[in-house]
Amino acid sequence: MKPMRVLITGAAGHVGSSLVYRVAAGDLFGLQQPVILHLYDIDKMLPELQGEMMELGDCAFPLLKDVVVTTEIDEAFGDVDVAFLVGAFPRKKGMERRDLLEANGKIFPAQGKALNDYANPDVRVVVVGNPANTNCLITAKNAPDLDPSQFTALTRLDHNRGIGMLASKLDAYVSDITRFTIWGNHSGTQFPDISHALFKGKPVSELIDFDWYEKDFIPAVQQRGSEILRVRGMSSTVSAAICTIKHFKSWYYGTNEDDWVSKAVYSTGNPYGIEDDLYYSFPVTCDSELAYSIVEGLEINEFCEKMMKISEQELISERDIIRDLL
Ligand code: NAI
C-alpha cells in the first residue's frame, strides 16, 4: 500500500507534537495504511524536531514508513496528501486580535504557495493555527490551482465541547446527542446552536431551559479555550489534536447517518445567506471520501440569525485587516 504523506506544521509545539504521535500510531487512517510524517517548524525548533524523530523511532510504530524533519518549506510540503497547518505564534499578553491576525497572517501566504506548488494536487488541508478561519482563507487564496473545498479550518473542538456540555447537563452519553452545530468563527463570537439538536431523537430545546442555554451554555462554549488557559496557564493541546484527527476522519470516512459535524468551509454559494468568500463554520455532512456538503434546508429562527450574523461580521472585519495577503 502506498504510504500517505502527512504534513504537520508547528510539529514541535504543544498541539503539533500531540498530533505527531497519534498520526504515527494509525489514528488517522486506521491500522492498515502506512504513513510518512513530514514535521515542519521554524529553524530554532530543529533540535525539538530531531528529538521527536528519535522518539518516534523508539516507539517502533508499525505503520510509520518514514519521517521527514525539515525547516525548508519546499521539502516540508513536497507531495503531501494531508496538511495540518498548526504552526503559528501564540497570542501573548496585551496582544490585540488585530496584532495576532497580522503576525500569523504573514505565515500563511507562503504555506498556500507551497501547497499549490509542491503538494499532491489532491491534498486536503486542515488549518488549526489561530485565527484559524482567516488563516485558512489566506492559505486557500494563495493556492490558486487548488479548489477552495480542499481547505478547511478546525471548529470540531468547539463542536465537541458543546456536545460534551450538553451531555453533562442531560446526564447522557455524547453519542445520544446529534445535529448540534457551531456556526461562524473559531472565536468568542462563534454560535453554538441547539435549535436542531436531538437527544435520542427528541429536540434538545424542549429538554433544557432557554435561559440556561443563552446565559450559561453559549458563553461557556464560546469561552472554553480562554477558561482552559486561565485554569492551567496553557491552552488546549491534546483535545485540539484529537479533534483535528476527528475532523479529518469525518471528512475521509464520512459522517454518521442522520448526523453532521461542524467544519469551517468555504462560504461561497452557501444556502444560509452568509457572505461569500469566507471560511465559516457550518453543519456539514461528508458522504464519500473527501467530499463534503453544507447541510441544506435548516430553519433559522430570529435568534439564530442574529447570532450567526455577529460571527459573520467578525470574519468580514478580519478579512478587511488582511486583505493585502489574499
Ligand atoms: P505552541 O506555541 O506550543 O506551538 C506553535 C508551534 O508553531 C511552535 O513550535 C512554533 O515554533 C511553530 N511556528 C511558529 N511559526 C511558524 C511558522 N512560520 N511555520 C511553522 N511553524 C511555526 O502552540 P500550540 O499550543 O501548539 O498551538 C498552535 C496553534 O493552534 C495556535 O495558533 C493555537 O491558538 C491554535 N489552536 C487552535 C485550536 C482550534 O480549535 N482551532 C485549538 C488549540 C490551538
Side-chain angles (χ1 to χ4, degrees):
M1 207 185 261
K2 188 172 169 274
M4 297 287 261
R5 290 182 179 268
V6 180
L7 162 68
I8 300 171
T9 74
H14 291 102
V15 177
S17 55
S18 294
L19 259 178
V20 164
Y21 294 96
R22 287 174 168 80
V23 175
D27 285 10
L28 203 54
F29 297 112
L31 299 177
Q32 301 294 326
Q33 174 63 55
V35 291
I36 297 176
L37 275 171
H38 288 220
L39 310 184
Y40 175 66
D41 211 297
I42 51 177
D43 289 344
K44 73 170 185 188
M45 302 308 275
L46 192 55
E48 296 285 332
L49 292 184
Q50 284 163 339
E52 212 159 80
M53 182 166 74
M54 290 162 75
E55 283 209 74
L56 283 166
D58 295 348
C59 293
F61 287 116
L63 293 166
L64 186 60
K65 181 76 179 28
D66 199 2
V67 183
V68 177
V69 161
T70 183
T71 58
E72 300 297 326
I73 200 163
D74 48 350
E75 191 184 7
F77 285 69
D79 295 327
V80 297
D81 303 293
V82 180
F84 293 124
L85 305 187
V86 183
F89 295 111
R91 189 169 180 166
K92 295 200 181 113
K93 235 181 168 178
M95 221 175 166
E96 297 295 326
R97 194 166 175 84
R98 185 187 190 93
D99 302 330
L100 187 71
L101 268 164
E102 285 173 349
N104 278 334
K106 289 191 189 113
I107 295 176
F108 288 87
Q111 298 195 356
K113 288 187 187 84
L115 285 162
N116 196 70
D117 295 348
Y118 307 122
N120 174 344
D122 271 335
V123 65
R124 293 299 192 277
V125 181
V126 185
V127 179
V128 178
N130 277 320
N133 300 52
T134 298
N135 289 340
C136 186
L137 179 69
I138 297 169
T139 311
K141 288 288 176 185
N142 283 277
D145 299 338
L146 305 181
D147 193 274
S149 68
Q150 291 174 251
F151 298 82
T152 60
L154 185 72
T155 52
R156 182 62 172 272
L157 177 56
D158 310 292
H159 181 104
N160 284 14
R161 285 168 173 165
I163 54 175
M165 289 181 206
L166 284 176
S168 164
K169 176 77 176 169
L170 294 168
D171 195 18
Y173 289 104
V174 286
S175 53
D176 291 332
I177 293 162
T178 55
R179 301 190 173 198
F180 171 71
T181 307
I182 298 288
W183 300 92
N185 201 1
H186 170 68
S187 75
T189 69
Q190 64 178 265
F191 171 44
D193 176 15
I194 60 157
S195 64
H196 310 98
L198 300 175
F199 166 66
K200 292 187 176 173
K202 285 191 210 117
V204 167
S205 54
E206 290 175 10
L207 301 172
I208 60 173
D209 175 39
F210 186 79
D211 217 42
W212 175 82
Y213 168 60
E214 189 183 16
K215 298 204 174 91
D216 294 334
F217 177 78
I218 294 178
V221 177
Q222 290 174 328
Q223 299 305 326
R224 182 66 163 185
S226 315
E227 184 62 4
I228 289 180
L229 185 62
R230 189 188 65 75
V231 168
R232 71 162 184 191
M234 204 171 105
S235 66
S236 312
T237 54
V238 176
S239 59
I242 286 177
C243 288
T244 301
I245 287 181
K246 284 178 186 283
H247 170 117
F248 186 81
K249 282 177 85 170
S250 302
W251 201 1
Y252 188 72
Y253 292 107
T255 38
N256 294 336
E257 213 180 342
D258 296 327
D259 199 6
W260 60 65
V261 292
S262 305
K263 214 190 246 303
V265 298
Y266 196 51
S267 64
T268 296
N270 77 85
Y272 296 103
I274 297 297
E275 164 108 348
D276 283 350
D277 220 19
L278 298 173
Y279 278 83
Y280 186 97
S281 182
F282 290 101
V284 162
T285 55
C286 309
D287 300 328
S288 60
E289 276 193 17
L290 298 170
Y292 69 79
S293 325
I294 296 173
V295 176
E296 293 189 17
L298 298 177
E299 209 173 297
I300 306 294
N301 64 33
E302 216 176 296
F303 175 77
C304 295
E305 191 176 352
K306 186 185 93 192
M307 299 297 284
M308 287 162 66
K309 286 279 168 206
I310 292 172
S311 211
E312 177 196 30
Q313 282 310 313
E314 183 182 46
L315 282 169
I316 293 171
S317 65
E318 288 188 8
R319 186 179 60 189
D320 288 342
I321 294 172
I322 51 75
R323 195 167 277 289
D324 57 326
L325 301 174
L326 300 180

